[in-house]
Amino acid sequence: MAFLADALSRVKPSATIAVAQKARELKAKGRDVIGLGAGEPDFDTPDNIKQAAIDAINRGETKYTPISGIPELRKAIAAKFKRENGLDYDWQQTIVGTGGKQILFNALMATLNPGDEVIIPAPYWVSYPEIVSLCSGTPVTVMTRQEDNFKLQPADLEKAITDKTKWFIFNSPSNPSGAAYTHDELKALTDVLLKHPHVWVLTDDMYEHLTYGDFKFATPVEVEPKLYDRTLTMNGVSKAYAMTGWRIGYAAGPLQLIKAMDMIQGQQTSGAASMAQWAAVEALNGPQDFIPRNKKIFEGRRDLVVSMLNQAKGISCPVPEGAFYVYPSCAGLIGKTAPTGKVIENDEDFVTELLESEGVAVVQGSAFGLGPNFRISYATSEEQLEEACRRIQRFCANCK
Ligand code: PLP
C-alpha cells in the first residue's frame, strides 16, 4: 500500500509470535495444545521485586524519569557489571531502556547508515536482522554448524568482515540454540576482532544467569579488555529475574555511544516506566538466591527434554549450555510422509505437521536462519514437557 513506509517492506513479522497465535487458534477450537514457543520464564517475578515497585508507586515515584534512567538504577547497573563481570563502567556510561530490545534498536539507530553491515551468527534471535534492516543497515548472516554446537568459528567470522562491517552482534547463551561460549571460545573470536579495529561489538548477555552445570559465563570485554572502547554490553532483567513484562533492559559502553542512544530515546519513549525502574533496582541490588533455584529447575528440564528428543526417530539434539531453549535437528524426517499424508519438505512443514497431528507448538529453524531445525522453549512445567516430548516421539515414529 502506497501509504505505508518503504521501511516496513524490509521487516518480517515475528515467527515466534505467529506460532503462538496458531496455537491459540487451535486451543480456541477445543484442541489440546502444548505451546513450547514462549520466550519467557514461567516463574513469577519475586515478591521483593514486586514490593519495590509498589513502594515506589506509594512514594509517588510516578513521574517522568531522566531519559537514560534513574541514577539509582544506573549505579546499580554499574555495580552489577563490576561485581559479576569485573567490568569498570562509570554510572554515566550506562543507559536504561524499555527492554533490551529498545537498547538494541537505539544502538543501531544511532550508528547505522545505509550500506553498513552487521554480522549476525545464525541461528539468531529473530529480531536482530529485522532491527538492523529497520535501521537501514544490511544484516550479514554467518552460519554456524550443529557439529560445533552452533558456535561461530573464528575463521567464519574473519571471512564475514568487510570494510563496511560496523557491528558484530554476539549472543551467549544464545536464543535460539542455548549455546554459550567458554572463555577460550570467546577469546578466539575476540582475537579476530582485534585485527579489525573498525568493527564494534554488540554483546547481548540477556541469558547470562541461565547457564548449567559448572559452565562459567564470559562476556567479550571481560575476555578482551582492549575491546572496551568499541563494545556495547547489553543485558536486562527480563530473563534472569522473570520480569519480561516490566520492560527494563540496560547497557554500558563508550560515553559517546551512550549519549547518542540517550538522544534517540529522548525523542522516542523517554525514560522507562518509573516503577519498573525501581523494581529493577531491587532486582540488581536485592537478594539473588532465587537465581540458582530457578537454574536448577531449568537444568533438570533441559536434561529431560534433550534425552527424550534424542530418543525420537530422526531427531538429534545437542546439549546446550544455557538459556531455556534447545535447537534439535529434524533432518532425519525430511522427505518422510506425515500422518496427514503430507510430505515433510523442510522444518516449517515439520512444525506445521507436528502441531496438526499432535498439538505441540514449536518454532521452525528457518525463522532463526538455520535449519532444518526447530526451537523448543523449556520454560514450562516438567509434566507438560514430558507429555510434549512423548507426542514428538510418537509423531516421529508415525512419519513413514
Ligand atoms: N535478546 C535476546 C537474545 C532475547 O531472547 C530477548 C527476548 O526474547 C531480548 C534480547 C529482549 O529482551 P527484553 O525483554 O529485555 O526486551
Side-chain angles (χ1 to χ4, degrees):
M1 184 165 79
F3 174 66
L4 298 175
D6 293 346
L8 211 61
S9 66
R10 296 197 293 266
V11 289
K12 292 196 296 281
S14 159
T16 44
I17 292 172
V19 168
Q21 177 62 23
K22 177 94 198 285
R24 261 197 303 276
E25 281 165 21
L26 284 178
K27 256 188 197 160
K29 286 189 196 150
R31 285 281 305 274
D32 164 27
V33 174
I34 304 177
L36 302 179
E40 58 185 346
D42 52 323
F43 309 121
D44 197 9
T45 305
D47 285 341
N48 62 310
I49 298 176
K50 289 185 193 170
Q51 192 58 50
I54 294 166
D55 292 346
I57 292 171
N58 288 336
R59 278 201 312 277
E61 305 276 7
T62 54
K63 304 283 200 280
Y64 289 133
T65 73
I67 296 163
S68 287
I70 54 174
E72 289 82 352
L73 179 51
R74 297 174 74 193
K75 285 174 187 167
I77 290 163
K80 173 258 176 282
F81 280 126
K82 182 72 189 161
R83 182 178 70 240
E84 295 180 346
N85 311 108
L87 302 182
D88 284 303
Y89 287 109
D90 188 80
W91 69 272
Q92 317 269 11
Q93 284 178 274
T94 68
I95 184 164
V96 178
T98 300
K101 210 173 208 170
Q102 190 187 24
I103 295 285
L104 191 65
F105 194 97
N106 289 353
L108 295 173
M109 187 82 186
T111 53
L112 291 183
N113 290 311
D116 286 344
E117 294 176 354
V118 178
I119 294 177
I120 303 171
Y124 45 70
W125 180 42
V126 289
S127 293
Y128 295 142
E130 306 306 323
I131 296 176
V132 168
S133 297
L134 265 179
C135 294
S136 306
T138 305
V140 175
T141 303
V142 185
M143 291 296 164
T144 63
R145 300 165 195 89
Q146 183 154 334
E147 65 259 33
D148 297 325
N149 281 342
F150 305 111
K151 292 182 204 178
L152 180 65
Q153 299 303 297
D156 294 324
L157 172 61
E158 180 85 63
K159 264 189 263 164
I161 294 173
T162 71
D163 292 348
K164 293 185 185 151
T165 308
K166 194 149 226 177
W167 287 99
F168 165 52
I169 297 186
F170 177 73
N171 174 219
S172 165
S174 150
N175 175 7
S177 71
Y181 293 67
T182 63
H183 180 284
D184 291 353
E185 287 164 344
L186 181 49
K187 182 78 173 67
L189 295 179
T190 60
D191 283 349
V192 173
L193 293 163
L194 280 185
K195 292 191 268 171
H196 302 277
H198 67 291
V199 179
W200 282 58
V201 184
L202 206 170
T203 178
D204 178 344
D205 299 353
M206 199 56 82
Y207 294 91
E208 166 179 12
H209 288 297
L210 300 176
T211 61
Y212 309 118
D214 48 15
F215 184 89
K216 200 175 163 326
F217 171 84
T219 189
V221 180
E222 180 187 15
V223 166
E224 181 45 83
K226 290 195 197 103
L227 291 175
Y228 185 90
D229 291 330
R230 52 180 169 116
T231 299
L232 185 70
T233 302
M234 191 260 263
N235 209 317
V237 294
S238 289
K239 316 285 173 172
Y241 301 93
M243 291 178 70
T244 46
W246 299 77
R247 310 307 303 127
I248 296 290
Y250 57 83
L255 195 56
Q256 196 191 1
L257 173 62
I258 298 295
K259 281 187 173 162
M261 291 165 65
D262 174 278
M263 183 126 91
I264 287 174
Q265 197 161 300
Q267 298 300 0
Q268 186 195 41
T269 51
S270 298
S274 56
M275 56 294 284
Q277 291 192 54
W278 283 102
V281 171
E282 173 64 16
L284 295 181
N285 289 348
Q288 306 288 310
D289 48 320
F290 66 94
I291 293 181
R293 275 206 306 277
N294 289 356
K295 269 172 66 148
K296 252 284 56 68
I297 295 171
F298 275 137
E299 185 169 353
R301 293 171 179 177
R302 176 199 64 170
D303 294 344
L304 169 82
V305 169
V306 169
S307 145
M308 286 187 78
L309 286 174
N310 279 322
Q311 291 166 43
K313 226 169 127 194
I315 303 277
S316 79
C317 184
V319 185
E321 294 88 351
F324 39 71
Y325 309 106
V326 294
Y327 200 66
S329 160
C330 56
L333 289 138
I334 305 298
K336 296 212 165 162
T337 306
T340 60
K342 170 138 184 38
V343 176
I344 299 173
E345 282 173 6
N346 50 41
D347 51 26
E348 199 166 343
D349 289 345
F350 172 84
V351 163
T352 308
E353 292 301 313
L354 176 64
L355 184 56
E356 197 54 53
S357 298
E358 294 286 351
V360 176
V362 300
V363 187
Q364 67 275 18
S366 51
F368 307 100
L370 189 146
N373 288 67
F374 59 102
R375 188 191 78 172
I376 285 184
S377 158
Y378 54 85
T380 190
S381 73
E382 209 158 290
E383 298 75 61
Q384 290 263 17
L385 289 169
E386 224 175 308
E387 173 60 19
C389 289
R390 236 180 273 127
R391 292 186 193 183
I392 293 173
Q393 289 175 351
R394 188 167 58 206
F395 174 77
C396 294
N398 289 339
C399 288
K400 302 293 179 204

